[in-house]
Amino acid sequence: MSSSPNALCFGYELPASGAPCLVRFGGQGLTVTFASESMAGRSEEVPFTALSVSVGGLDHDQLVLKWIGDRGERALYLKDADLIRSFRRSAPEQLHVPFERAAELARLVRRRRRMVWGVVAGVVLALSAGLWRGGDLLVALAVERIPPEWEQKLGESAYKDFLARQDIVREGPAVSAVQEMTRRLVEQIPNNPYKFEVTVVKSDVVNAFALPGGYIVVFTGLMKKATGAEEVAGVLSHELNHVLQRHGLERIVKRLGLVAAASIVFGDQQGLAGLMKQFGVELMTLKFGREQETEADLTGLQLLYQARIDPSGMIGFFERLSEKDEGRMEWLSTHPMSQGRAERLKAELAAMPKLSPVPFTFEWAAVRASLGVSPPAEP
Amino acid sequence: MRSEILYPGAFPMVRVELAAGEQIKAESGAMVGASPTIDVESKMEGGFLGALSRKLLTGEKFFFQTLRAGRGPGEVLLAPTVPGEIVILELDGVNEYMVQKDGFLAGADTISIESKMQSFTRGLMGGEGFFILKIGGKGTLILNSFGAIHRIDLKPDQEYIVDNSHMVAWSATTSYNIERASSGWMASFTSGEGFVCRFRGPGVVYIQSRNPGGFGAWIRQFIPVSE
């Protein structure tokens, strides 16, 4: 073990890649024993007084000992920590100062490199964080520049993709009921750039969602759970407002910004393309932020009010959904319900002048019956 | 393990002879042929995270291949993807080489390979990315290049200037600084030599006679653009 080489020796007649050698420190100096076959057994003794000490190597992490020998200048590169410690123990006092200076230089290089990387990491993090949090204005600006047609195309492809795998309810009381609700709500939207399309999908999932561009899906599970048409209309109004406020687009732009930054940092353009593709899928599970939910709640409430649909149905339904945890309440997982949210809506409603609601033209009980819910489910 | 370069020049191949039980690691996809006694395994050098970081950070392949003469002695033929020379180095346990990410072809099982972060300036301007491979240990190391491999020997404190996209591998005892090729920013870009590396010995620097990025840019003009 002690005979395996532990350092590289450089010199005029030695190979450029360095001659592997075994270095030992003694009381007066060091002994270099060459390990390569052509020079096997040859050794040189160097007194400490002849040595100069510095650091070298790619990362300034090797201890360099130089001296002028019989065969010209020699340089010894040591990187083994034990060997360097052994040098420090046996070296005489006059070498301590240059040794400490060399060690300080090595530490300085390491520290400086760490600092530079720290600053770079900090800047990258700050940029990402800035894009994510403080960049709302930037996101809003970007979203403003995206035409509704583009948004519609994006939503449409995801919508078609999704529906291709679903059992769609094409006609019947449930479909006409949802269409009537949508019509009454949409009529109240001034300068509406979207052509809203609502599809009823047969599924026990208690959920409804909106895609950018005005594509809305209502699951029959949600309709079965609702005891009045106003409750479903409330959910619809909330979802319509996600579209109108372009919440989906905002999320995508935000996410894209982060991904782009990350891809630039890691130089992985393929990853960027892959992630772009994923957005089509992610549109389905797109979670909106808390502010976006609140905004959709409040504007949804106003829209219901303008359409003269009783908004208390919406509030009551939200509360009921949050209390009971039966079945698959998926609307809750994407729309986390808090008591504060319902309270806020109640307060908002109380501040509005009293409303005389206009009833729907259909019987809700008949709609539910068509979905297979037996009539005595009345509360 | 004994290795020999066949067809030296632009389209070489390496024949590695393995004794029973011996194994080597190679870049995945490097194997051209092998005796039936050789088993091919994918191995994530440095564990999953190590492999992942190497893939993400250096762009080097996620898996190395392990070729093992499990059922008796045999031989393996290895070749790189790009046309260019192959060089065989014997690592003595003390020497360490820094290798740019495309330079590694194969090596004895006893050599160690790790991804190493460069300093920020070198990573940004050096042309081989922020991460390079640090290869040490004892055993055979096989490198490949784009074009011919040229070896530059540097004595202590001797300097040499290399264009940043021509570097293949260099000993850890050398050090280098990134510099502009000529004084003045305009001249730097118009001369086509944006940045160069000033190497300082002692040690060995292997460079390649062709620049992959430059070749890519040249060939792009001949590729028909669709639409």
Side-chain angles (χ1 to χ4, degrees):
Chain A
M1 140 102 206
S2 63
S3 62
S4 66
N6 56 10
L8 284 173
C9 189
F10 296 88
Y12 186 72
E13 88 290 8
L14 299 177
S17 56
C21 57
L22 177 69
V23 174
R24 280 199 209 90
F25 295 103
Q28 296 307 308
L30 57 87
T31 314
V32 183
T33 311
F34 291 98
S36 68
E37 283 162 26
S38 56
M39 310 169 70
R42 240 180 64 192
S43 65
E44 291 176 19
E45 302 224 352
V46 188
F48 280 125
T49 47
L51 293 178
S52 73
V53 181
S54 57
V55 285
L58 194 64
D59 296 323
H60 290 81
D61 57 354
Q62 306 201 21
L63 182 69
V64 182
L65 303 175
K66 287 184 180 170
W67 70 93
I68 310 284
D70 301 335
R71 294 165 189 256
E73 197 183 42
R74 285 269 197 258
L76 205 55
Y77 275 66
L78 317 177
K79 65 167 194 286
D80 184 64
D82 288 335
L83 191 62
I84 292 172
R85 265 194 291 275
S86 147
F87 169 76
R88 195 173 172 182
R89 273 197 306 271
S90 29
E93 219 154 289
Q94 69 261 30
L95 285 180
H96 283 181
V97 175
F99 178 83
E100 286 310 324
R101 209 183 297 141
E104 183 54 36
L105 182 62
R107 276 193 291 269
L108 191 77
V109 169
R110 213 171 321 154
R111 222 175 313 148
R112 195 171 53 201
R113 177 172 299 192
R114 249 182 242 149
M115 206 175 72
V116 169
W117 276 112
V119 168
V120 170
V123 168
V124 168
L125 272 180
L127 276 178
S128 325
L131 222 64
W132 187 251
R133 305 210 122 250
D136 282 354
L137 185 72
L138 209 70
V139 169
L141 277 173
V143 165
E144 231 170 78
R145 287 172 171 273
I146 298 172
E149 299 84 63
W150 191 89
E151 200 182 343
Q152 213 138 7
K153 263 190 198 130
L154 188 79
E156 193 186 359
S157 67
Y159 185 63
K160 286 196 172 141
D161 245 30
F162 175 77
L163 291 183
R165 289 173 279 128
Q166 302 298 327
D167 190 0
I168 300 172
V169 182
R170 295 196 187 275
E171 50 192 7
V175 177
S176 25
V178 168
Q179 275 168 353
E180 183 180 331
M181 291 174 197
T182 313
R183 197 176 53 247
R184 275 187 56 183
L185 289 169
V186 170
E187 274 168 4
Q188 301 303 320
I189 304 168
N191 306 325
N192 171 25
Y194 300 105
K195 198 167 96 352
F196 283 100
E197 206 177 311
V198 182
T199 305
V200 180
V201 166
K202 201 181 247 174
S203 163
D204 286 336
V205 179
V206 182
N207 203 356
F209 66 81
L211 292 170
Y215 299 94
I216 293 168
V217 171
V218 181
F219 295 100
T220 49
L222 182 88
M223 300 178 76
K224 283 188 204 169
K225 205 98 212 159
T227 49
E230 289 76 14
E231 300 181 349
V232 177
V235 171
L236 260 180
S237 181
H238 174 98
E239 294 298 338
L240 282 180
N241 276 287
H242 272 316
V243 174
L244 289 171
Q245 313 294 334
R246 311 184 92 177
H247 287 159
L249 211 55
E250 276 177 18
R251 297 306 273 188
I252 291 174
V253 168
K254 263 192 187 179
R255 191 82 68 85
L256 251 172
L258 264 192
V259 170
S263 303
I264 290 162
V265 170
F266 291 118
D268 187 6
Q269 266 76 25
Q270 283 176 338
L272 182 63
L275 279 159
M276 289 275 286
K277 248 182 245 162
Q278 260 183 23
F279 279 121
V281 184
E282 271 192 38
L283 278 173
M284 298 300 163
T285 54
L286 209 58
K287 276 194 190 179
F288 297 112
R290 188 168 297 212
E291 305 95 69
Q292 291 180 328
E293 289 302 341
T294 309
E295 195 182 8
D297 277 352
L298 294 181
T299 48
L301 182 76
Q302 279 156 14
L303 189 61
L304 280 176
Y305 189 86
Q306 282 157 12
R308 306 182 70 118
I309 301 169
D310 186 8
S312 53
M314 173 189 187
I315 300 171
F317 192 42
F318 283 9
E319 277 180 327
R320 255 187 32 243
L321 285 181
S322 65
E323 279 163 17
K324 294 185 207 163
D325 191 25
E326 48 184 80
R328 298 155 70 191
M329 299 290 196
E330 300 214 353
W331 202 70
L332 291 179
S333 67
T334 43
H335 299 73
M337 182 58 73
S338 66
Q339 197 50 40
R341 222 172 119 188
E343 293 299 328
R344 178 114 192 244
L345 283 176
K346 273 187 194 161
E348 200 72 24
L349 181 62
M352 291 174 170
K354 195 91 179 92
L355 176 80
S356 50
V358 177
F360 289 108
T361 59
F362 53 81
E363 276 296 322
W364 185 243
V367 172
R368 293 182 86 204
S370 79
L371 295 172
V373 180
S374 44
E378 293 292 317
Chain B
M1 165 181 183
R2 256 191 53 218
S3 36
E4 171 195 9
I5 298 174
L6 309 175
Y7 321 111
F11 302 98
M13 195 155 72
V14 189
R15 176 164 59 207
V16 181
E17 285 172 26
L18 296 176
E22 255 190 334
Q23 61 181 42
I24 56 165
K25 34 194 165 199
E27 190 195 13
S28 60
M31 194 193 82
V32 177
S35 311
T37 49
I38 306 288
D39 298 319
V40 183
E41 298 159 23
S42 271
K43 195 170 147 197
M44 292 179 284
E45 182 78 14
F48 181 76
L49 280 179
L52 189 68
S53 72
R54 198 167 48 243
K55 164 74 187 140
L56 281 178
L57 303 174
T58 65
E60 177 57 80
K61 301 269 167 54
F62 189 68
F63 293 98
F64 284 127
Q65 258 177 351
T66 301
L67 301 162
R68 179 203 293 275
R71 286 166 282 116
E75 66 164 38
V76 184
L77 299 177
L78 299 169
T81 315
V82 295
E85 269 189 330
I86 292 175
V87 65
I88 299 176
L89 306 180
E90 281 303 327
L91 300 189
D92 47 30
V94 199
N95 244 314
E96 280 177 330
Y97 285 94
M98 317 306 291
V99 178
Q100 62 98 347
K101 60 182 192 285
D102 297 322
F104 175 79
L105 181 63
D109 198 46
T110 45
I111 65 168
S112 67
I113 302 171
E114 54 175 311
S115 292
K116 204 169 169 303
M117 188 153 74
Q118 300 218 72
S119 79
F120 185 66
T121 345
R122 283 180 189 159
L124 197 64
M125 317 283 204
E128 54 304 298
F130 288 107
F131 290 80
I132 51 175
L133 301 175
K134 183 180 191 175
I135 301 184
K138 203 171 161 116
T140 306
L141 167 65
I142 305 173
L143 301 177
N144 71 274
S145 69
F146 184 54
I149 289 190
H150 179 68
R151 172 184 157 140
I152 299 166
D153 288 350
L154 297 175
K155 295 291 176 198
D157 296 330
Q158 192 186 344
E159 291 189 346
Y160 207 85
I161 290 168
V162 178
D163 182 277
N164 57 4
S165 38
H166 285 262
M167 286 147 60
V168 178
W170 54 98
S171 359
T173 51
T174 60
S175 98
Y176 73 86
N177 292 320
I178 308 278
E179 293 176 358
R180 275 180 293 139
S182 43
S183 55
W185 284 99
M186 264 322 277
S188 271
F189 289 110
T190 49
S191 70
E193 304 285 343
F195 292 96
V196 292
C197 306
R198 180 186 288 265
F199 274 93
R200 190 183 178 86
V204 176
V205 181
Y206 289 92
I207 61 173
Q208 52 194 7
S209 66
R210 292 291 178 276
N211 167 355
F215 181 70
W218 177 79
I219 209 165
R220 205 168 298 136
Q221 61 183 322
F222 301 112
I223 298 176
V225 182
S226 56
E227 284 182 271

